[in-house]
């Protein structure tokens, strides 16, 4: 059985380029006892792939999660015809021996049957009912501890995680302000229920726009981007404000030697007595079912709306990844194999 995979042949420098990847074919071995043959149905392209690969040594198969169909099986738990999710990399097909969850039940890197999403599309397991959804749910609710009537700011607001955080904040009765990179994204955020959406690329005065949008100041900030925009938001936080640091995409695509230039220490952190905490979603992986079933229920009830930015064709993985990093996507960026 033939399979295809994308190998990363050199480290990214600045924005990834299609020439950083090489499409290769391989012959898969016959199945041994316990193994399954998986065929990709949907693959995820995520921002973390840009910084994480910098600590790996090329050449290696690109990392990433996918929803796959089990097309052949010698494992009763994963029969042929079942659907699974796992960190299987940028591969069209793969033979795997499903990993047993470790003692901390953190089997995020292993293979699992698709969660019960109550009839929602399989691809949602890579978004609202997957890693981004769990990040939005726990990263926001646990670290920001939002209360009804509070003001919440979300950056990267029209992306996979951000679009969910804003909607969760509305469910919790908050005033929600989002920053995104195009007018169309901002219009979509208003459709989702965001009270104010600001285009951070064209807004002539971010400070004034935020002051107008958040006249009572900012209580919670869900930070997807870092950098100067986050610096500006933190200036308008209220006493005992909470910041959940989810990502720092504004610096992921820096060229080697280029660093972020944000002023620190910031008096706002001290005088407003802010609580600023970073997280990696793996922290709550043992509780992921709680987040997934709640997110799925909110989607089915119409309280959370989902949009996907779908690129057709496994061969377009690099283009989909690069496009997502440049902001092509509204909602979750995925590839349909
Ligand atoms: N801590 C965790 O466990 C965890 C888990 C999941 C995700 N994350 C992080 O959460 C963030 C969002 O991830 P996601 O999967 O939801 O991706 P996403 O928001 O769907 O896609 C990335 C978006 O980032 C925005 N962007 C690109 N360059 C930017 C810049 N210089 N400044 C501001 N925005 C920029 C673009 O939107 P615009 O058009 O609006 O610029 C782009 O659409 C990332 O930083 C990611 O690393 C962390």
């Amino acid at each position: 059985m033939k399979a295809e995979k994308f190998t990363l042949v050199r480290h990214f420098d600045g924005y990834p380029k299609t020439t950083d990847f090489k499409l290769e074919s391989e012959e898969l071995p016959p199945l041994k006892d316990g193994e399954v043959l998986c065929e990709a149905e949907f693959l995820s392209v995520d921002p973390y792939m840009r910084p994480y690969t910098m600590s790996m040594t090329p050449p290696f198969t690109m990392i990433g999660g996918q929803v796959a169909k089990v097309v052949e099986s010698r494992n009763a738990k994963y029969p042929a015809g079942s659907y699974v999710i796992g960190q299987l990399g940028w591969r069209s097909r793969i033979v795997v021996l499903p990993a047993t969850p470790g003692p901390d039940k953190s089997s995020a890197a292993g293979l699992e049957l698709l969660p019960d999403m109550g009839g929602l599309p399989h691809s949602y397991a890579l978004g609202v009912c997957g890693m981004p959804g769990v990040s939005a749910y726990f990263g926001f609710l646990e670290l920001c501890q939002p209360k009804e009537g509070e003001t919440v700011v979300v950056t990267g607001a029209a992306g996979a995680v951000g679009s969910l955080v804003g909607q969760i904040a509305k469910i919790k009765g908050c005033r929600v302000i989002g920053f995104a990179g195009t007018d169309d994204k901002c219009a979509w955020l208003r459709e989702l229920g965001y009270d104010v959406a600001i285009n951070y690329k064209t807004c002539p005065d971010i400070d004034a726009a935020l002051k107008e949008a958040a006249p009572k100041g900012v209580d919670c900030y869900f930070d997807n981007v870092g950098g100067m925009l986050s610096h500006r938001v933190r200036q308008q936080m209220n006493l005992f404000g909470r910041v959940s640091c989810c990502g720092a995409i504004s610096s992921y695509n820096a060229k080697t030697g280029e660093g972020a230039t944000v002023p620190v220490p910031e008096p706002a952190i001290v005088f407003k007595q802010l609580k600023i905490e970073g997280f990696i979603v793996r922290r709550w992986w043992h509780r992921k079912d709680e987040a997934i079933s709640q997110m799925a229920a909110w989607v089915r009830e119409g309280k959370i709306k989902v949009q996907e930015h779908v690129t057709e064709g496994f061969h377009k993985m690099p283009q989909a990844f690069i496009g997502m990093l440049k902001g092509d996507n509204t909602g979750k960026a995925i590839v349909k194999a």
Side-chain angles (χ1 to χ4, degrees):
M1 171 74 78
K2 281 247 178 277
E4 290 185 304
K5 62 176 187 172
F6 278 98
T7 298
L8 190 72
V9 291
R10 66 181 70 84
H11 276 143
F12 303 121
D13 191 16
Y15 276 99
K17 300 180 281 302
T18 51
T19 48
D20 296 331
F21 304 93
K22 190 171 164 204
L23 181 62
E24 295 181 312
S25 1
E26 58 183 355
E27 185 66 34
L28 298 181
L31 298 194
K32 296 197 206 68
D33 261 356
E35 289 183 338
V36 293
L37 171 62
C38 299
E39 189 169 85
E41 185 188 29
F42 293 102
L43 299 102
S44 189
V45 284
D46 298 274
Y48 76 83
M49 296 167 178
R50 172 65 178 81
Y52 272 44
T53 49
M54 297 309 279
S55 60
M56 301 165 73
T57 308
F60 55 83
T61 306
M62 248 323 261
I63 54 172
Q66 60 168 263
V67 169
K69 184 176 183 178
V70 174
V71 289
E72 214 183 307
S73 173
R74 290 188 63 182
N75 186 316
K77 192 179 163 203
Y78 306 89
S82 59
Y83 284 87
V84 292
I85 181 161
Q87 286 292 119
L88 304 181
W90 290 20
R91 300 168 188 273
S92 63
R93 294 192 182 97
I94 183 174
V95 170
V96 271
L97 180 65
T100 319
D104 62 349
K105 304 252 186 321
S106 151
S107 60
L111 199 71
E112 295 184 24
L113 291 168
L114 220 55
D116 178 10
M117 301 184 285
L120 298 177
H122 287 178
S123 55
Y124 284 20
L126 298 173
V128 62
C129 295
M131 185 276 282
V134 178
S135 303
Y137 185 86
F138 288 120
F140 177 55
L141 294 177
E142 294 279 324
L143 300 192
C144 286
Q145 299 279 333
K147 292 176 202 68
E148 196 177 340
E150 288 192 325
T151 298
V152 174
V153 170
V154 184
T155 45
V161 178
S163 61
L164 301 175
V165 171
Q167 295 184 83
I168 297 171
K170 287 309 300 176
I171 291 169
K172 297 294 172 187
C174 301
R175 176 171 176 78
V176 185
I177 298 148
F179 283 94
T182 68
D183 290 346
D184 283 349
K185 290 186 184 190
C186 289
W188 180 61
L189 292 177
R190 286 181 211 108
E191 278 174 35
L192 295 185
Y194 273 72
D195 297 283
V196 181
I198 301 168
N199 182 339
Y200 72 92
K201 288 186 180 165
T202 56
C203 177
D205 187 340
I206 297 275
D207 295 341
L210 183 54
K211 206 163 203 59
E212 192 186 333
K216 292 197 248 163
V218 178
D219 302 293
C220 304
Y221 173 35
F222 193 91
D223 184 1
N224 276 315
V225 304
M228 275 309 287
L229 181 55
S230 292
H231 179 69
R232 300 252 60 89
V233 174
R234 286 193 295 265
Q235 306 308 309
Q236 296 202 31
M237 304 247 358
N238 289 331
L239 194 62
F240 298 118
R242 287 87 66 200
V243 181
S244 175
C245 298
C246 175
I249 196 165
S250 68
S251 61
Y252 291 173
N253 296 298
K255 281 191 160 294
T256 308
E258 274 179 1
T261 47
V262 178
V264 280
E266 301 180 53
I269 298 173
V270 179
F271 298 117
K272 300 285 178 61
Q273 304 189 60
L274 303 184
K275 186 175 170 195
I276 302 181
E277 186 170 351
F279 74 88
I280 298 290
V281 64
R282 197 68 67 89
R283 184 201 292 204
W284 296 293
W285 212 246
H286 61 293
R287 290 173 61 195
K288 73 177 188 315
D289 294 349
E290 174 189 336
I292 291 171
S293 61
Q294 179 61 82
M295 295 301 280
W298 279 334
V299 174
R300 288 194 304 270
E301 290 161 12
K303 292 182 178 157
I304 284 191
K305 295 192 183 68
V306 171
Q307 186 158 319
E308 296 178 316
H309 180 88
V310 184
T311 303
E312 296 273 344
F314 176 74
H315 289 185
K316 292 274 174 63
M317 288 294 298
Q319 289 85 347
F321 176 55
I322 296 163
M324 177 276 301
L325 290 172
K326 291 190 170 170
D328 287 354
N329 61 308
T330 298
K332 175 72 186 110
I334 52 167
V335 173
K336 188 171 186 308

